[in-house]
Amino acid sequence: MNVFKFGGASVKDAEAVVNVGNILKRYQNQKLLVVISAMGKTTNGLERMLNAWYDGNSEDAAVELADIKSFHNTIIGHLIGGDLQNNYHEVDNLFIELECYIETRPVNTEFDFLYDQIIGYGELISTKIISIYLQTVGINNRWLDARNFINTTEDYRQARINWGSTEEIISNRLKPIVDRQLVITQGFIGRTNRNNTTTLGREGSDYSASIFAYCLNAESVTIWKDVAGVMNADPKRMENTIIMHEISFSKAIELAYYGATILHPKTIQPLLRKSIPLYVKSFLNPEAEGSVIKEKITNEEESIPCYIFKDDQVLVNLSSKDFSFIVESHLSSVFTMLAAAKVQINLMQNSAISFSFCSNYDERKFNPLIDQLSEIFAIEVVKNLTLITLHNYKKQGLPSLLDSKAILMEQHSKNVVQYVYR
Ligand code: ASP
Ligand code: MG
């Protein structure tokens, strides 16, 4: 039994969906569970719709939703020449549910909760369309709602897995179905014991695939991407990038921790536990070797230098208002506020009179946090920065792209050096 994951780019238009069908045809004799993300950039569109609706701009929200609907309608039209109303009732119903949502004002106004009730529709819609399409081209399959299997905590937007119950439901109820037929399901979403939908964090479909693989005791996971494998840097930002054909679990965990976007950071650990290898392959060139992340690797690739970029960073510098030293009690209140605001630190540094940290900039979380911090500290905030992490950099030295940059913070450790720059 194997698990495949197809991300948004692999189902971004009708041609891409047909390509997914062609890939699946090659595996028709195998036991397979297929996890699929929302189509193309749908999740971003749903986020814009949600933000508009939440802020009371119902008209903007309706425009966003109409765009999302027409994007999917176009795909359906190309796939089988039908339309939502006539051929894809179930898809149409999902859109009707979304329309109903944004026609009324929210009762529970907690943003993260609402986010999770709405954003996962992208996955429900995409899997419905693909499942129906596959059926029409003779690839028999069963659509299943991932929320019936992935049981999570109530931590909206960053839900954690209740492993005991998830494992039990998947092995008792899902495994027998995958043994019989191809299963199509969603990434990214789960459900709480109180029946609320949750999401596992942006790009969480990789993690979903890994959860299913763990609980099904799968032989492998394959993530189909638009790149030829795991590269040592983003080829859009650096020249002479190379594919790492073999990567150890431990290196992959580190790279994901520092923000390598090739995989959702939580993906590897369940696989590591059961030594389930993870293949990264190109859906544009399914024959090509790609990369494999596994326990033991046999070659020298482990020491290849890797470069990880994180944009939209903000640097915050705190110092005490009375010019006293920054001491433990200050730090303790800073960390308490950061934890309460769910802001994660990517890099931090302290000196006698200041404490600085760099984190992702999310306006909704950040503005209230800054207000709170500025009650206690003198505060300086610099936005629009990039954090670069160089892993195994010694072999290669620093990339020339840093030459002309204003560096605002840097940190060195044995194997890793990090810079925050403008
Ligand atoms: N559709 C979600 C996102 O774009 C989950 C995923 O693609 O993995 O974040
Ligand atoms: Mg996606």
Side-chain angles (χ1 to χ4, degrees):
M1 183 173 296
N2 291 289
V3 173
F4 281 3
K5 180 251 169 175
F6 289 96
S10 68
V11 290
K12 69 177 191 323
D13 53 29
E15 200 188 330
V17 174
V18 172
N19 182 51
V20 167
N22 290 337
I23 293 177
L24 292 179
K25 263 185 203 147
R26 301 151 57 121
Y27 295 90
Q28 261 182 316
N29 305 322
Q30 294 193 18
K31 293 176 183 172
L32 203 57
L33 174 117
V34 179
V35 171
I36 307 178
S37 304
M39 290 174 153
K41 304 264 179 238
T42 300
T43 308
N44 295 348
L46 286 166
E47 282 187 350
R48 285 193 300 273
M49 179 198 85
L50 172 73
N51 282 320
W53 174 63
Y54 189 79
D55 295 338
N57 306 327
S58 346
E59 272 169 37
D60 292 354
V63 170
E64 289 291 351
L65 181 53
D67 281 351
I68 297 169
K69 191 169 173 177
S70 99
F71 166 74
H72 287 88
N73 232 336
T74 307
I75 294 180
I76 290 171
H78 282 117
L79 282 177
I80 57 158
D83 62 19
L84 273 176
Q85 279 73 23
N86 291 324
N87 297 45
Y88 286 79
H89 302 286
E90 289 167 301
V91 180
D92 199 28
N93 286 340
L94 292 169
F95 277 110
I96 292 169
E97 283 174 36
L98 275 177
E99 280 154 8
C100 292
Y101 246 112
I102 64 163
E103 268 162 26
T104 49
R105 293 306 303 153
V107 186
N108 175 339
T109 53
E110 197 213 319
F111 184 80
D112 290 352
F113 169 83
L114 291 170
Y115 182 102
D116 280 6
Q117 307 322 300
I118 288 178
I119 303 298
Y121 271 87
E123 269 67 15
L124 295 170
I125 292 166
S126 84
T127 50
K128 272 282 177 216
I129 295 175
I130 293 162
S131 167
I132 297 169
Y133 164 74
L134 293 175
Q135 212 66 41
T136 63
V137 294
I139 303 174
N140 187 26
N141 72 89
R142 173 114 174 241
W143 181 93
L144 291 176
D145 188 331
R147 294 173 295 182
N148 293 335
F149 305 102
I150 307 271
N151 179 242
T152 77
T153 61
E154 305 268 341
D155 300 284
Y156 297 103
R157 292 183 77 181
Q158 280 300 336
R160 283 172 295 126
I161 306 304
N162 291 324
W163 282 100
S165 48
T166 300
E167 213 176 340
E168 195 181 315
I169 311 168
I170 291 183
S171 56
N172 293 342
R173 298 203 351 240
L174 179 59
K175 194 162 187 300
I177 304 176
V178 187
D179 275 331
R180 284 197 312 271
Q181 76 189 118
L182 170 66
V183 167
I184 302 293
T185 192
Q186 308 78 41
F188 189 45
I189 51 174
R191 187 182 274 145
T192 70
N193 290 335
R194 291 194 295 171
N195 253 335
N196 293 319
T197 302
T198 46
T199 65
L200 308 179
R202 283 303 306 264
E203 307 304 326
S205 300
D206 295 338
Y207 185 36
S208 303
S210 142
I211 298 162
F212 280 116
Y214 177 92
C215 298
L216 289 166
N217 288 314
E219 280 157 45
S220 73
V221 175
T222 304
I223 298 196
W224 295 91
K225 292 185 81 85
D226 55 358
V227 290
V230 181
M231 315 281 254
N232 71 327
D234 180 349
K236 287 183 211 116
R237 309 184 72 143
M238 277 184 69
E239 289 172 357
N240 306 323
T241 50
I242 37 178
I243 296 181
M244 299 183 286
H245 292 290
E246 293 197 335
I247 303 147
S248 67
F249 281 133
S250 55
K251 179 163 177 170
I253 287 176
E254 265 192 55
L255 296 180
Y257 170 79
Y258 289 118
T261 50
I262 190 83
L263 289 174
H264 184 277
K266 290 181 179 169
T267 309
I268 303 292
Q269 287 185 55
L271 304 178
L272 166 74
R273 285 280 180 86
K274 290 198 175 168
S275 300
I276 301 171
L278 180 140
Y279 295 89
V280 176
K281 285 169 83 76
S282 162
F283 59 78
L284 300 167
N285 188 3
E287 297 287 351
E289 180 190 349
S291 301
V292 57
I293 300 171
K294 58 183 184 175
E295 200 160 16
K296 290 219 162 41
I297 80 159
T298 47
N299 58 25
E300 276 288 295
E301 292 189 354
E302 195 72 351
S303 60
I304 291 176
C306 295
Y307 305 87
I308 301 151
F309 294 87
K310 265 179 181 254
D311 289 326
D312 282 328
Q313 298 295 297
V314 54
L315 190 62
V316 179
N317 187 279
L318 304 171
S319 51
S320 63
K321 286 186 175 169
D322 60 2
F323 308 106
S324 60
F325 291 140
I326 290 284
V327 293
E328 286 74 6
S329 58
H330 293 120
L331 295 178
S332 139
S333 50
V334 173
F335 285 121
T336 307
M337 287 180 207
L338 285 165
K342 294 190 188 158
V343 168
Q344 284 160 14
I345 296 182
N346 294 328
L347 198 63
M348 62 183 166
Q349 235 163 43
N350 65 316
S351 69
I353 51 159
S354 73
F355 174 75
S356 312
F357 66 88
C358 166
S359 67
N360 301 356
Y361 184 68
D362 172 341
E363 201 180 332
R364 262 183 221 284
K365 288 180 181 173
F366 223 79
N367 293 350
L369 172 70
I370 294 300
D371 291 346
Q372 264 190 320
L373 286 168
S374 37
E375 279 175 24
I376 311 181
F377 299 99
I379 188 166
E380 214 183 311
V381 179
V382 191
K383 292 179 203 161
N384 295 322
L385 303 174
T386 298
L387 168 65
I388 179 172
T389 302
L390 318 179
H391 193 263
N392 284 336
Y393 70 102
K394 280 185 189 139
K395 277 211 149 175
Q396 208 103 328
L398 302 180
S400 53
L401 72 96
L402 283 172
D403 290 349
S404 55
K405 298 289 189 296
I407 292 173
L408 282 82
M409 190 185 205
E410 65 180 87
Q411 197 155 297
H412 296 246
S413 58
K414 189 160 161 257
N415 245 335
V416 174
V417 47
Q418 296 179 289
Y419 292 94
V420 179
Y421 65 90
R422 206 195 299 271

